[in-house]
């Protein structure tokens, strides 16, 4: 994987974290370097950690799930899409902006915004081309941060 491809991938993965960071910044009364660093480290750290987890999990189970991997992807995407439709049709509840930067507030957001990065890690494990996982996850994490 070349630098250009990795850069586009990293920027694409960081978009959801960027959107949540903007909302978090709008909720804060005062934005300073400490708050920005906290948010950046949470999101950047998880964007780097999740592809690594996905890569090693996929490497462990690659042979046993190759035959049904497309069905697993189909079921997961169908569940996510169905949930999105349900929320849209039922008029989901409005959420208040939360300015907290505690572990309880940041951990779920960091995990939620990096689930797609875990899927990228799985893809890295299944790709036929050479991918340096350590350089890739570092680059993704730094780009997101």
């Amino acid at each position: 994987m070349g630098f250009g491809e990795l850069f586009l991938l990293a920027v694409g993965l960081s978009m959801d974290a960027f959107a949540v960071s903007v909302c978090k910044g709008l909720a804060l009364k005062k934005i300073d370097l400490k708050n920005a660093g906290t948010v950046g480290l949470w999101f950047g750290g998880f964007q780097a950690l999740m592809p690594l987890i996905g890569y090693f999990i996929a490497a462990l189970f690659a042979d046993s799930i190759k035959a049904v991997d497309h069905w697993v992807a189909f079921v997961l995407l169908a569940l996510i899409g169905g949930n999105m439709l349900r929320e849209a049709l039922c008029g989901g509840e409005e959420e208040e902006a939360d300015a907290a930067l505690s572990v309880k507030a940041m951990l779920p957001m960091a995990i939620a915004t990096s689930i797609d990065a875990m899927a990228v890690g799985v893809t890295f494990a299944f790709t036929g081309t050479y991918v340096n996982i350590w350089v890739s996850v570092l680059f993704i994490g730094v780009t997101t941060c």
Side-chain angles (χ1 to χ4, degrees):
M1 176 176 288
F3 175 77
E5 295 161 325
L6 185 58
F7 177 74
L8 289 174
L9 180 66
V11 169
L13 287 174
S14 69
M15 287 294 115
D16 50 355
F18 174 74
V20 173
S21 297
V22 168
C23 293
K24 190 57 95 168
L26 290 171
L28 291 171
K29 289 183 175 38
K30 179 184 172 203
I31 300 173
D32 58 10
L33 194 57
K34 180 183 176 197
N35 291 342
T38 300
V39 172
L41 288 175
W42 269 103
F43 290 129
F46 270 83
Q47 287 286 4
L49 178 66
M50 294 298 253
L52 197 61
I53 292 171
Y55 180 83
F56 286 120
I57 289 175
L60 286 174
F61 299 108
D63 293 333
S64 59
I65 64 171
K66 257 195 191 273
V68 294
D69 59 354
H70 55 285
W71 288 110
V72 171
F74 172 75
V75 169
L76 290 174
L77 289 173
L79 288 172
I80 292 169
N83 188 42
M84 289 172 64
L85 286 173
R86 183 187 56 79
E87 287 179 4
L89 295 175
C90 294
E93 58 196 51
E94 292 291 322
E95 295 182 20
E96 290 291 320
D98 183 16
L101 296 177
S102 65
V103 172
K104 185 178 177 184
M106 293 301 295
L107 182 64
M109 287 189 297
I111 292 171
T113 58
S114 61
I115 294 293
D116 54 347
M118 183 183 279
V120 167
V122 171
T123 303
F124 284 167
F126 284 120
T127 186
T129 61
Y130 175 74
V131 175
N132 186 332
I133 189 66
W134 302 107
V135 172
S136 298
V137 297
L138 180 64
F139 192 78
I140 290 168
V142 168
T143 302
T144 302
C145 184

